[in-house]
Amino acid sequence: MNNSDRGSFSGKIAIVLATAGSAVGLGNVWRFPYMAGENGGATFIVIYFVCILLLGIPGMLSEFIVGRHGGSNAARSYDKMSKGGLWRLVGYLGILTSLIILGFYAVVAGWCLQYLFASIAGQLNGDAAYVKDYFATFSSDALRPVLWGVAFVVITHLVVVRGVRSGIERASKLLMPILLILLIVIVIASCMLPGAMEGVWFLLKPDFSKVTGRVMLDALGQAFFSLSLGTACLCTYASYYAKETNLLYAAGQIALLDTLIAILAGLMIFPAAASVGVNPDSGPSLIFITLPSVFQQAFAAMPLVGYVVGVMFYALLVFAALTSTISMHEIGTAFFTEELHLPRRRSAWVITIAASLICIFCSLSVGACDIQVMGMALLDFCDQLTANFMLPLGGMLTCLFVGWFVPKALVKDEFTNQGTLNHRFFELYLFAVRFVCPVCIVMIFLHQLGVI
Ligand code: PHE
């Protein structure tokens, strides 16, 4: 298949929106707030910023460089750059990682979809005990959460089969601006509540006595997860970039947007929670158990506003999740289309079926069946395995690859678009991928294993 058949993004805005669409997702609105809540708020956020700056941006750039140079699916792009070496395996690792993420992510996205309908139908009205019970009943049902999760994978499928421009690009251009507007409206409503400032302080006042190896690993995993880094996703999207795209700018803009949205998500959730005295550390169920009643209590004097904010919130989650699942799906779809020469539609089905199977087991593991791996429900295990191990590993290998194995001139050519762009930051970038990223990631791994 030649390059013009593969499709490409139409321009700069499409590139940033589609890639930001992948990055911005449940990672920002669901995972970031509960991770920050569990790990001491501002302390976690400071470490998270450091990870984004020192490891995230250079890592993103490296994936962009491999992907745009290769102009094909992740495995072949690594192959092309390494001239047939074992580095292809990094591409495979990314494809596998994104498939696992798609499987468990769809479970949570399915919950969001169910909650969107429930909030429209007014079924989430009731006191805190009622909402808690609602979640427990729904999530332990053998069928409903499974169906919603699989439905989410199928919706993703329907976008992906339409191709790069009329599927991925169109969805991102439509959904990303809506998402941003919804988010800002809810942040304003949440911060205006009585007692909201305490929640804002929780996000702003670091307490460095809370820094532990676990907090560092969680912040690292969260940074990679949130940027979609280490899954070959950025590499696959970059294969649809134009030769003129300034990769450094793109990486900077996307990282900034992604971080901004995570912070806005925090500013949406913590002030509302503080206003009604809900603890921010209630874990993954934060947005499903605490938030519905938070919105109701917080807007008790204005029930209609409470209703609208609730519906908007779950619509926002669904949109954010969809632009991300599209990207996870695309990685595998591009791979099967190009490597097995299957029509796009068929390779998309391969991914849809595989992801649906993972989704079914993950969903059952936190509901009707007790499916455990290493003492954790399968869903939590998949989350931990990918975010805290596979993503940092994939990101680190990519940095090592670009930093040490690809000829410097080739990397520089991609970085500067064949010498047409400023190369002021090139040496800094090279230093980061050669030393800073690998050393930091290895140290955090070793620390976690108790070796240092
Ligand atoms: N970055 C996405 C989010 O924050 C999740 C994701 C991970 C997407 C890996 C693609 C690949 O929700």
Side-chain angles (χ1 to χ4, degrees):
M1 169 174 300
N2 73 35
N3 260 356
S4 53
D5 297 334
R6 300 181 72 241
S8 60
F9 292 125
S10 65
K12 271 190 217 153
I13 298 193
I15 284 173
V16 172
L17 282 186
T19 317
S22 163
V24 174
L26 295 178
N28 306 59
V29 195
W30 162 70
R31 207 171 183 279
F32 177 82
Y34 91 73
M35 278 277 160
E38 277 178 347
N39 286 313
T43 318
F44 174 86
I45 295 176
V46 172
I47 303 174
Y48 176 79
F49 282 161
V50 174
C51 290
I52 295 272
L53 209 65
L54 289 187
L55 316 174
I57 294 179
M60 283 177 95
L61 251 171
S62 306
E63 274 200 32
F64 285 168
I65 287 176
V66 176
R68 191 180 58 179
H69 181 81
S72 33
N73 69 80
R76 198 181 297 181
S77 289
Y78 279 89
D79 208 31
K80 270 193 194 164
M81 255 198 157
S82 61
K83 306 230 160 40
L86 276 179
W87 289 103
R88 183 183 185 82
L89 296 179
V90 182
Y92 287 135
L93 174 71
I95 293 163
L96 178 70
T97 311
S98 61
L99 183 65
I100 300 177
I101 298 181
L102 178 56
F104 83 77
Y105 199 92
V107 176
V108 185
W111 295 349
C112 297
L113 205 51
Q114 143 75 28
Y115 266 61
L116 174 61
F117 285 104
S119 58
I120 291 174
Q123 288 168 4
L124 299 176
N125 289 339
D127 58 13
Y130 166 80
V131 179
K132 199 169 173 186
D133 197 49
Y134 184 91
F135 183 73
T137 315
F138 165 67
S139 61
S140 59
D141 193 298
L143 205 60
R144 274 198 304 154
V146 173
L147 290 179
W148 283 111
V150 173
F152 209 93
V153 180
V154 173
I155 296 172
T156 308
H157 172 101
L158 295 176
V159 178
V160 171
V161 286
R162 300 180 66 93
V164 177
R165 267 200 207 176
S166 45
I168 301 175
E169 181 175 323
R170 246 168 84 201
S172 315
K173 277 186 167 165
L174 178 74
L175 298 179
M176 289 302 288
I178 303 183
L179 186 144
L180 205 60
I181 294 169
L182 290 182
L183 191 59
I184 292 173
V185 173
I186 309 179
V187 168
I188 295 173
S190 172
C191 288
M192 279 177 14
L193 294 169
M197 272 307 130
E198 208 182 303
V200 176
W201 279 125
F202 179 70
L203 282 176
L204 296 182
K205 254 203 321 231
D207 170 3
F208 289 104
S209 66
K210 297 236 171 73
V211 180
T212 60
R214 182 76 216 173
V215 174
M216 288 196 303
L217 184 67
D218 277 347
L220 173 78
Q222 176 59 25
F224 276 56
F225 187 87
S226 192
L227 293 176
S228 312
L229 182 58
T231 56
C233 171
L234 302 173
C235 171
T236 307
Y237 270 24
S239 71
Y240 306 125
Y241 285 9
K243 285 287 165 219
E244 302 75 43
T245 307
N246 184 331
L247 299 181
L248 178 62
Y249 261 29
Q253 280 170 333
I254 293 156
L256 190 71
L257 199 64
D258 187 66
T259 309
L260 191 76
I261 292 187
I263 299 294
L264 283 177
L267 284 176
M268 161 173 78
I269 291 168
F270 293 121
S275 160
V276 292
V278 163
N279 246 349
D281 61 355
S282 42
S285 53
L286 182 68
I287 62 170
F288 298 102
I289 295 182
T290 35
L291 276 197
S293 47
V294 163
F295 289 143
Q296 274 167 54
Q297 290 175 56
F299 298 101
M302 308 166 274
L304 186 64
V305 180
Y307 172 83
V308 174
V309 169
V311 172
M312 277 179 12
F313 176 72
Y314 289 106
L316 179 148
L317 281 172
V318 167
F319 294 159
L322 185 60
T323 49
S324 297
T325 50
I326 290 171
S327 71
M328 298 167 206
H329 200 297
E330 174 63 22
I331 305 172
T333 301
F335 173 74
F336 282 117
T337 309
E338 289 167 11
E339 297 304 304
L340 302 186
H341 306 289
L342 289 177
R344 190 172 168 85
R345 196 166 284 278
R346 273 226 219 133
S347 29
W349 272 117
V350 176
I351 298 297
T352 299
I353 292 169
S356 297
L357 285 174
I358 301 177
C359 168
I360 292 171
F361 288 110
C362 282
S363 176
L364 291 174
S365 77
V366 286
C369 304
D370 190 25
I371 310 173
Q372 293 218 349
V373 183
M374 293 173 71
M376 280 179 260
L378 181 67
L379 186 141
D380 299 320
F381 174 76
C382 289
D383 178 311
Q384 295 283 314
L385 174 74
T386 50
N388 288 358
F389 180 66
M390 293 172 88
L391 298 185
L393 181 68
M396 181 178 81
L397 291 173
T398 304
C399 289
L400 288 174
F401 174 54
V402 175
W404 294 103
F405 290 90
V406 179
K408 188 172 161 185
L410 206 158
V411 179
K412 194 167 182 178
D413 268 356
E414 281 299 331
F415 189 95
T416 60
N417 291 354
Q418 266 56 39
T420 56
L421 297 175
N422 194 325
H423 57 265
R424 215 171 358 140
F425 293 108
F426 181 68
E427 292 298 330
L428 193 65
Y429 159 72
L430 209 60
F431 180 75
V433 288
R434 282 190 171 168
F435 301 103
V436 183
C437 298
V439 170
C440 287
I441 295 174
V442 167
M443 269 172 35
I444 294 178
F445 276 160
L446 291 180
H447 187 73
Q448 189 55 24
L449 290 173
V451 180
I452 53 171

